[in-house]
Amino acid sequence: MDLSHAIRLRSLAGYTAAFFCLLIFLAVLDGLIAKFREPFHVFYVLPGAVAEINGPLPESVKQVEALAYISNSPNLKIEFETLHSGYFLGGNMWRGRLVVSPDTPPGKYVLAVRLPEGSAEKPPPPYGVVVFADQLSLRKNSRSLLLRHTGLSPWLAAGFFIPFLLVNLLVVFRYSRRIEGLLAEKGLAEIYKVVKGEGFYILAFGLGTEHGLTLGQEFAILDPEGRQVGYGKVQEISPTDAIGRTWMEQIMPGYLVSLKREH
């Protein structure tokens, strides 16, 4: 494989990785927007559904057995399970299950948690429950554009694209190593980091002592087309990498370093 072919394949893999990264970002963004657009204390369910449910409680409630609920339908009920502290803000909370009977007709329902008799605290806000006739109706009500139009959860979509992103990043890495080897055979290396100093630039590139580079050695700087645009000197060196200094401006990652003073 020659250098130009390796560079083309790396560029293709890089663009593909960027494409999958964009798809993952859009899927996650769609999921987050849908989450924040969901009304608080409202459940969208199908007949026969069982959903986790929880809510705040006054500190005076110490036992889950003291709780009860009020429902405007005998087909919906709350099964209280335990009391716990809030994950983020602390405070007393309860946890349970919302159980919807398979015979529940589509419609809007209301449930409310009832505090123990004699409690002076304000009762928690009621819960709304919207029951849909079928999965398609439920999906069409989703705040997620992806779920509404394709039936695919945005979180599943993001997870589906991640392996494709990782594969292309691996391809970019492998071809980058291959390109480094091909360039090193010609006494060349890509500049992979540029830091601006006071009147000079610091460059990092993949040539070192094992390639014949020495401390203080001058090197040529080439643009991506191979034209010499300046020169620099080695400031720090390791077996495989070096840091150099140049006084040339408009140097950026992707430019090349050549051990030949005249290229």
Side-chain angles (χ1 to χ4, degrees), residues 13-54:
Y15 288 128
T16 305
F19 173 71
F20 282 117
C21 190
L22 176 62
L23 292 180
I24 293 170
F25 170 77
L26 292 176
V28 171
L29 181 63
D30 180 59
L32 291 175
I33 291 175
K35 184 68 176 178
F36 285 114
R37 289 183 61 201
E38 289 286 352
F40 190 62
H41 278 196
V42 178
F43 291 84
Y44 300 95
V45 296
L46 295 173
V50 177
E52 294 184 358
I53 185 173
N54 66 83

Side-chain angles (χ1 to χ4, degrees), residues 17-131:
F19 173 71
F20 282 117
C21 190
L22 176 62
L23 292 180
I24 293 170
F25 170 77
L26 292 176
V28 171
L29 181 63
D30 180 59
L32 291 175
I33 291 175
K35 184 68 176 178
F36 285 114
R37 289 183 61 201
E38 289 286 352
F40 190 62
H41 278 196
V42 178
F43 291 84
Y44 300 95
V45 296
L46 295 173
V50 177
E52 294 184 358
I53 185 173
N54 66 83
L57 281 176
E59 293 294 337
S60 60
V61 180
K62 302 300 182 181
Q63 295 182 337
V64 70
E65 291 80 11
L67 297 176
Y69 70 91
I70 302 172
S71 173
N72 65 350
S73 170
N75 292 319
L76 284 81
K77 64 179 181 178
I78 296 177
E79 295 179 352
F80 298 99
E81 295 180 339
T82 184
L83 301 184
H84 68 98
S85 297
Y87 296 117
F88 300 106
L89 301 178
N92 199 26
M93 299 190 72
W94 62 270
R95 181 187 298 118
R97 302 193 307 163
L98 169 65
V99 181
V100 183
S101 169
D103 302 325
T104 307
K108 297 181 179 179
Y109 303 90
V110 178
L111 294 93
V113 175
R114 189 175 62 190
L115 299 180
E117 291 186 11
S119 177
E121 287 87 354
K122 183 179 179 181
Y127 294 89
V129 180
V130 183
V131 180

Side-chain angles (χ1 to χ4, degrees), residues 205-226:
F205 51 92
L207 288 175
T209 55
E210 66 180 30
H211 305 103
L213 201 64
T214 58
L215 194 64
Q217 180 177 344
E218 289 192 347
F219 54 83
I221 300 174
L222 316 178
D223 65 15
E225 285 71 39

Side-chain angles (χ1 to χ4, degrees), residues 144-165:
S144 165
L145 294 175
L146 189 61
L147 182 60
R148 188 190 312 162
H149 295 290
T150 68
L152 184 64
S153 163
W155 310 113
L156 289 178
F160 176 79
F161 292 130
I162 287 177
F164 294 95
L165 171 62

